[in-house]
């Protein structure tokens, strides 16, 4: 649908909302187009192209807020949205006030990040790249017996929000991603591993670099063994750090704190981590693929430290939880409470220097069971993991069949070194940037 037609429908929806008893109203339009292919055994196994769009409405009536959504843009759809939301307000009984928001000084918010490079994302281009990549992965080693997953996809999206208070908020973006997972076998032992790349220009895909990392993640797993159960100094890979931090981020949500589901409640200003650990959010981070100037509620985002040199600085608030706490929203109202472009502040040491500092310990690269083996509220975790033995400051051999057990809050305090090998992965409303870190005295269960 043309954005102008969508905008016209949304304005009509807001104007009509008064007839249904709504004191305030908001309409949101989202639209996206995507394409993906998958490669298997030298052929394009599947090809998909889709276009999706929809309008959501929310309104405030008798102090209650309710919402409804549709993919249609007809008079019947307009009637459905208004009556459905109105009926919900009539039966709803939420003690915490919700809001329709507009900053009088920032009524019009716009950011377009759509790139010309998106036009390069064609079936022919993806097919050529995918088939060539599959062939070159097999050429890495005769031990590689299969490529069980190889896909290339792209997406372009836009979002528009307007409300009865005068807000006009528009943003758009695009990206392209590639994932490959391979299977290797040696002496009857089978290992799997893969790698993921994303960006906004398919021509920036570095196949040589991708193949090198793919090979390391798959072919170096052979010869793995367990280690004696003990406490070890561990070097947690940047990829594992991202997974670990992401798993426990709900503890920084003010909603979790207000509902008694986070041990961080009331601890702003207290030391909760090592002096060298800083975790910050920078929604407009220059290195981020997608910048996020405002949240889903139309509140401007801004840079902030969640943890600064070990001190817990702030929780994340949306309009509803901020009102309950008597403060301003932190611009983290992302369909509830979320974050955009989170950064673990890097240190100065290279990866090799981190290995030397560890001396004798473990390099953990993969954490499994990040949901089943984690108590997010208490912070306790017990996770199967894989990695490598570090001896004499060097990686010596692969390690498997071990379990790492500790507590999230204790781990934060035991961070002794932070590297400079920053990796970024899509997470939250943007990305999560993190380097490898060294953690002292972590319990590992392996051989008895």
């Amino acid at each position: 649908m043309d954005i102008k037609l969508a905008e016209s429908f949304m304005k009509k929806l807001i104007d009509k909302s008064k007839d249904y008893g709504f004191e305030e109203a908001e309409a949101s339009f989202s639209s996206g187009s995507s394409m993906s292919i998958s490669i298997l055994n030298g052929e394009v196994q599947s090809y998909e192209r889709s276009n999706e769009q929809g309008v959501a409405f929310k309104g405030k009536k008798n102090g209650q807020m309710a919402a409804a959504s549709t993919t249609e843009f007809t008079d019947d759809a307009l009637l459905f949205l208004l009556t459905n939301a109105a009926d919900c307000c009539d039966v709803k009984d939420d003690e915490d006030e919700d809001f329709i928001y507009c900053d009088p000084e920032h009524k019009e918010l716009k950011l377009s990040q759509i790139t010309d490079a998106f036009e390069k994302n064609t079936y022919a281009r993806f097919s050529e790249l995918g088939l060539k990549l599959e062939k070159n992965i097999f050429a890495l080693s005769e031990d590689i017996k299969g490529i069980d997953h190889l896909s290339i996809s792209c997406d372009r999206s836009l979002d528009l929000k307007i409300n009865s208070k005068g807000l006009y908020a528009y943003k758009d973006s695009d990206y392209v991603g590639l994932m490959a997972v391979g299977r290797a076998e040696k002496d009857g032992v089978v290992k799997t591993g893969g790698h993921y790349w994303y960006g906004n220009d398919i021509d920036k895909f570095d196949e040589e670099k991708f193949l090198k990392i793919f090979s390391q993640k798959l072919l170096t797993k052979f010869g793995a063994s367990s280690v004696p159960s003990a406490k070890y100094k561990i070097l947690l890979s940047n990829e594992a750090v991202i997974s670990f931090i992401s798993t426990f981020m709900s503890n920084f949500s003010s909603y979790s704190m207000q509902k008694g589901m986070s041990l961080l409640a009331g601890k702003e200003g207290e030391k909760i981590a090592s002096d060298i650990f800083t975790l910050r959010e920078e929604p407009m981070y220059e290195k981020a693929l997608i910048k996020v100037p405002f949240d889903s509620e139309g509140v401007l985002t801004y840079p902030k430290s969640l943890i600064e040199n070990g001190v817990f600085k702030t929780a994340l608030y949306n309009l509803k939880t901020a009102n309950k706490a008597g403060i301003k929203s932190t611009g983290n109202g992302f369909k509830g409470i979320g974050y955009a472009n989170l950064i673990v502040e890097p240190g100065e040491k290279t990866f090799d220097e981190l290995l030397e500092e560890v001396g004798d310990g473990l390099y953990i690269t993969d954490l499994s069971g990040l949901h089943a083996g984690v108590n997010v509220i208490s912070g306790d975790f017990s996770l199967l993991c894989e990695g490598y033995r570090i001896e004499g400051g060097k990686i010596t051999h692969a390690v498997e069949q071990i379990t790492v057990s500790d507590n999230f809050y204790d781990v934060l305090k035991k961070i002794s070194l932070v590297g400079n090998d920053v990796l970024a992965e899509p997470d939250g409303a943007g990305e999560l940037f993190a380097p490898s870190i060294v953690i002292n005295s972590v319990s590992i269960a392996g051989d008895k």
Side-chain angles (χ1 to χ4, degrees):
M1 173 180 278
D2 181 89
I3 187 68
K4 293 298 182 183
L5 293 176
E7 186 176 334
S8 176
F9 180 85
M10 295 162 71
K11 288 180 177 179
K12 184 178 179 181
L13 182 60
I14 290 175
D15 289 340
K16 287 283 186 181
S17 69
K18 300 173 186 177
D19 299 336
Y20 289 79
F22 289 104
E23 301 121 28
E24 302 173 352
E26 185 171 270
S28 304
F29 171 72
S30 61
S31 173
S33 60
S34 62
M35 181 187 72
S36 65
I37 70 165
S38 62
I39 305 293
L40 185 65
N41 299 327
E43 296 181 351
V44 177
Q45 182 188 38
S46 67
Y47 167 68
E48 296 182 5
R49 181 184 290 273
S50 65
N51 293 283
E52 298 178 351
Q53 60 184 19
V55 167
F57 169 83
K58 74 174 183 178
K60 193 170 187 178
K61 179 182 177 184
N62 301 325
Q64 299 296 318
M65 189 86 75
S69 60
T70 181
T71 57
E72 303 294 331
F73 298 84
T74 62
D75 289 340
D76 287 343
L78 186 145
L79 179 64
F80 164 80
L81 291 171
L82 293 172
T83 56
N84 192 284
D87 289 345
C88 288
C89 284
D90 289 339
V91 299
K92 198 172 181 182
D93 186 21
D94 190 346
E95 294 180 358
D96 297 331
E97 186 179 3
D98 212 336
F99 298 87
I100 301 292
Y101 176 83
C102 179
D103 182 344
E105 296 182 3
H106 299 94
K107 288 188 174 184
E108 188 169 293
L109 308 173
K110 292 183 179 180
L111 181 65
S112 179
Q113 301 176 85
I114 286 179
T115 64
D116 293 336
F118 193 79
E119 303 305 323
K120 302 174 185 178
N121 300 326
T122 63
Y123 173 82
R125 181 76 175 90
F126 281 8
S127 299
E128 178 186 17
L129 174 60
L131 292 169
K132 179 173 177 283
L133 181 62
E134 184 190 50
K135 181 179 179 181
N136 289 337
I137 289 175
F138 275 119
L140 289 172
S141 170
E142 61 182 14
D143 294 328
I144 297 178
K145 306 301 181 183
I147 301 170
D148 299 324
H149 180 87
L150 199 167
S151 64
I152 309 175
S153 60
C154 64
D155 180 87
R156 170 178 279 181
S157 63
L158 66 85
D159 296 277
L160 172 65
K161 185 187 299 293
I162 61 175
N163 66 35
S164 57
K165 292 189 172 181
L167 177 70
Y168 184 99
Y170 173 89
K171 60 183 177 181
D172 58 36
S173 61
D174 57 45
Y175 83 93
V176 57
L178 186 154
M179 174 174 279
V181 178
R183 172 171 36 87
E185 183 177 354
K186 181 186 291 186
D187 300 326
V189 176
V190 177
K191 297 292 182 181
T192 60
H195 189 44
Y196 174 68
W197 172 88
Y198 69 100
N200 55 17
D201 187 345
I202 193 65
D203 286 346
K204 292 182 179 179
F205 173 67
D206 187 335
E207 184 181 51
E208 183 178 348
K209 181 180 179 181
F210 185 92
L211 289 169
K212 180 179 179 181
I213 298 174
F214 184 95
S215 177
Q216 290 174 344
K217 287 187 172 183
L218 176 59
L219 299 177
T220 59
K221 289 185 174 183
F222 290 105
S225 60
S226 187
V227 296
S229 297
K231 287 186 178 293
Y232 289 84
K233 180 179 285 190
I234 68 168
L235 172 56
L236 197 62
S237 75
N238 46 23
E239 191 170 359
V241 171
I242 289 173
S243 299
F244 185 71
I245 295 293
S246 178
T247 299
F248 288 97
M249 275 306 297
S250 62
N251 286 291
F252 293 89
S253 162
S254 56
Y255 176 83
S256 297
M257 295 179 192
Q258 291 172 0
K259 295 298 181 180
M261 297 185 295
S262 170
L263 297 182
L264 291 178
K267 292 189 176 181
E268 284 94 337
E270 293 185 18
K271 188 177 177 62
I272 65 168
S274 165
D275 292 341
I276 64 171
F277 185 77
T278 292
L279 178 67
R280 59 189 176 89
E281 183 197 33
E282 194 168 329
M284 296 294 288
Y285 189 40
E286 61 178 8
K287 294 182 181 180
L289 179 67
I290 297 176
K291 280 71 173 175
V292 186
F294 52 87
D295 67 11
S296 301
E297 298 178 313
V299 180
L300 288 174
T301 58
Y302 63 91
K304 64 186 75 71
S305 291
L306 283 69
I307 301 174
E308 185 174 325
N309 300 126
V311 177
F312 177 36
K313 304 297 287 187
T314 183
L316 304 178
Y317 291 84
N318 62 9
L319 290 169
K320 192 172 183 178
T321 60
N323 177 68
K324 189 172 182 178
I327 62 174
K328 291 184 178 180
S329 169
T330 56
N332 292 96
F334 295 103
K335 297 179 180 179
I337 295 180
Y339 48 90
N341 297 325
L342 200 64
I343 302 161
V344 175
E345 192 69 29
E348 298 181 355
K349 292 188 179 295
T350 65
F351 178 75
D352 287 340
E353 288 173 333
L354 293 180
L355 287 174
E356 290 177 7
E357 292 285 348
V358 170
D360 185 47
L362 296 174
Y363 173 44
I364 303 298
T365 58
D366 296 285
L367 298 172
S368 301
L370 280 164
H371 298 291
V374 169
N375 184 320
V376 175
I377 298 176
S378 70
D380 293 334
F381 62 88
S382 181
L383 305 168
L384 291 173
C385 59
E386 294 182 4
Y388 302 86
R389 190 75 169 90
I390 303 173
E391 296 173 297
K394 304 290 184 182
I395 290 176
T396 54
H397 63 85
V399 172
E400 63 180 3
Q401 297 181 17
I402 59 173
T403 300
V404 56
S405 301
D406 213 303
N407 179 277
F408 171 68
Y409 300 104
D410 291 338
V411 164
L412 291 181
K413 295 174 183 176
K414 294 190 288 188
I415 295 172
S416 60
L417 289 169
V418 179
N420 64 7
D421 57 332
V422 176
L423 176 72
E425 288 189 2
D427 192 64
E431 297 164 79
L432 205 165
F433 298 77
S436 300
I437 62 176
V438 176
I439 307 167
N440 292 330
S441 189
V442 178
S443 295
I444 299 291
D447 291 336
K448 295 181 179 180

